[in-house]
Amino acid sequence: MRGLSAVMLVLACHPALAVCDLSQVVGYQLVFGKTIQGYIEDGKQTSGFEGCTRDRVLVFTDNTGVRCKDTLLHSARLPKAYLFARSANDMKLCVDDDMYDVARPN
């Protein structure tokens, strides 16, 4: 009983990292979960996350990245992101409760 109480306390202290509508990724495969460190836009690298604008490259803490295909603004500090893919040209990135259409960087 004591162990169960500790687990419940830990779960209560750690909110869900992403709450995207997963019905949007039925038929996709989960590729990874990584932390977004910043982004590159117009040749300039910026720390933090401010959502997507077309052709912005989101950079993860391991220096990999994805390119935004559309615009949806959202601000967060070092959010966890989950990449789902159906193919190399059909990928979606879940950040908090927003789903972004993304592609490989050029």
Side-chain angles (χ1 to χ4, degrees):
M1 184 71 165
R2 190 171 167 193
L4 179 60
S5 297
V7 169
M8 292 180 68
L9 178 62
V10 168
L11 291 175
C13 293
H14 294 285
L17 296 174
V19 290
C20 290
D21 177 6
L22 296 180
S23 69
Q24 297 179 46
V25 289
V26 170
Y28 287 73
Q29 179 178 5
L30 176 62
V31 178
F32 63 69
K34 296 182 182 181
T35 301
I36 298 174
Q37 173 178 302
Y39 61 91
I40 300 170
E41 188 170 40
D42 298 327
K44 180 182 170 190
Q45 186 159 355
T46 304
S47 294
F49 177 70
E50 297 178 11
C52 270
T53 60
R54 189 168 185 80
D55 292 326
R56 174 182 284 178
V57 175
L58 302 178
V59 180
F60 302 104
T61 54
D62 66 355
N63 289 319
T64 61
V66 293
R67 181 177 48 82
C68 297
K69 293 170 71 175
D70 56 4
T71 299
L72 179 62
L73 300 180
H74 173 88
S75 183
R77 180 165 158 54
L78 299 175
K80 187 81 168 187
Y82 297 90
L83 182 72
F84 296 88
R86 193 179 296 173
S87 70
N89 296 318
D90 187 1
M91 297 188 292
K92 294 187 180 289
L93 189 71
C94 169
V95 182
D96 292 336
D97 59 351
D98 294 321
M99 194 73 75
Y100 300 89
D101 288 322
V102 296
R104 291 181 172 174
N106 294 343

